[in-house]
Amino acid sequence: MVSLKHLISLLVFEVVAILPVILIIYWGHKFAGGFSWVEKSFNKFNYHPVFMIIGFVFVMGHSVISFRILPLGHRTKKYIHASMNIIAAIFVIAGLVTVFQFHAEHEFPDLYSTHSWLGLATVSLFFLQLLGGLSIFQDLVKGANDEVRGAYKPWHVVAGISMVTLVAVSICTGIQEKYLFMKNDNFSATAYTMNFLALSIFMWVFTVIYILVAVEKQTPQTLSTETLAMTNE
């Protein structure tokens, strides 16, 4: 039986993972003119934060917590973890293509702001993590024996936690940058929406780190042990 702690943690995570997606799509439709892939449309940019939040917050977030939350075997969770990171990479690449196309079409400079530098660091770390994970843990490198995996694992885990934090900082600086560009009133509905979006990102990173630090891993073996213990009581 899955513990109450795991169920509550998963429920809270689902709420704080889907909330930023809902808020950014609502912001795009309500306050930023909607979405359009037409060349030189200013609304093309609005796909960028949507793709990035779906990729990093929703999909990658599920990948990060999968080892702690899912009551499955280690190998199964490993494949789920890798698959979701690959899906996240597709959204991240789409987000990058969108923003660079938008800048090129309007002759805007690239990579000049704090947000863009932090975003570049986040994306770079993400793809390094993806490459390292697939190479070492998914048996793509023949020489990746247990000793190599054991040596690499702490770096992979610490880099993963760091990336979650970096994602949150990158998104929040992007929110602030876009808000300043839009030149809205301080107490406008746009401001409140973007502020709630930033708060939802903070709640997401707090929940993810809590699950990684405080929630024990579950496997079919641990579930069987817990069920047997409850039966003997």
Side-chain angles (χ1 to χ4, degrees), residues 36 63 65 74 82 89 100 115 118 128 150-151 157 184 196 208-210:
S36 173
S63 169
I65 69 167
H74 178 76
F100 281 118
H115 165 66
L118 288 171
L128 285 173
V157 172
N184 292 288
F196 278 120
V208 171
I209 293 177
Y210 170 81

Side-chain angles (χ1 to χ4, degrees), residues 133-151:
L134 291 175
S135 300
I136 305 273
F137 297 119
Q138 297 294 334
D139 304 322
L140 296 183
V141 176
K142 296 296 183 180
N145 54 28
D146 290 341
E147 185 177 353
V148 173
R149 292 174 183 175

Side-chain angles (χ1 to χ4, degrees), residues 51-111:
F51 288 151
M52 288 303 194
I53 287 177
I54 292 175
F56 278 128
V57 175
F58 189 78
V59 183
M60 189 199 75
H62 280 87
S63 169
V64 170
I65 69 167
S66 60
F67 276 102
R68 295 286 178 180
I69 292 294
L70 298 179
L72 303 171
H74 178 76
R75 182 170 291 275
T76 302
K77 289 193 286 189
K78 188 170 72 168
Y79 292 145
I80 292 173
H81 179 75
S83 299
M84 298 201 76
N85 274 328
I86 292 172
I87 295 171
I90 294 171
F91 279 102
V92 170
I93 291 171
L96 290 175
V97 169
T98 300
V99 72
F100 281 118
Q101 275 191 3
F102 176 78
H103 282 193
E105 290 171 0
H106 296 277
E107 299 182 354
F108 293 157
D110 293 317
L111 303 175

Side-chain angles (χ1 to χ4, degrees), residues 132-189:
L134 291 175
S135 300
I136 305 273
F137 297 119
Q138 297 294 334
D139 304 322
L140 296 183
V141 176
K142 296 296 183 180
N145 54 28
D146 290 341
E147 185 177 353
V148 173
R149 292 174 183 175
Y152 177 69
K153 183 178 178 180
W155 293 95
H156 189 69
V157 172
V158 171
I161 296 175
S162 301
M163 189 170 60
V164 168
T165 306
L166 195 54
V167 164
V169 175
S170 298
I171 291 175
C172 288
T173 54
I175 292 170
Q176 182 65 17
E177 181 178 300
K178 185 60 179 178
Y179 176 74
L180 293 175
F181 283 158
M182 293 179 73
K183 298 179 180 179
N184 292 288
D185 294 333
N186 291 334
F187 297 101
S188 64

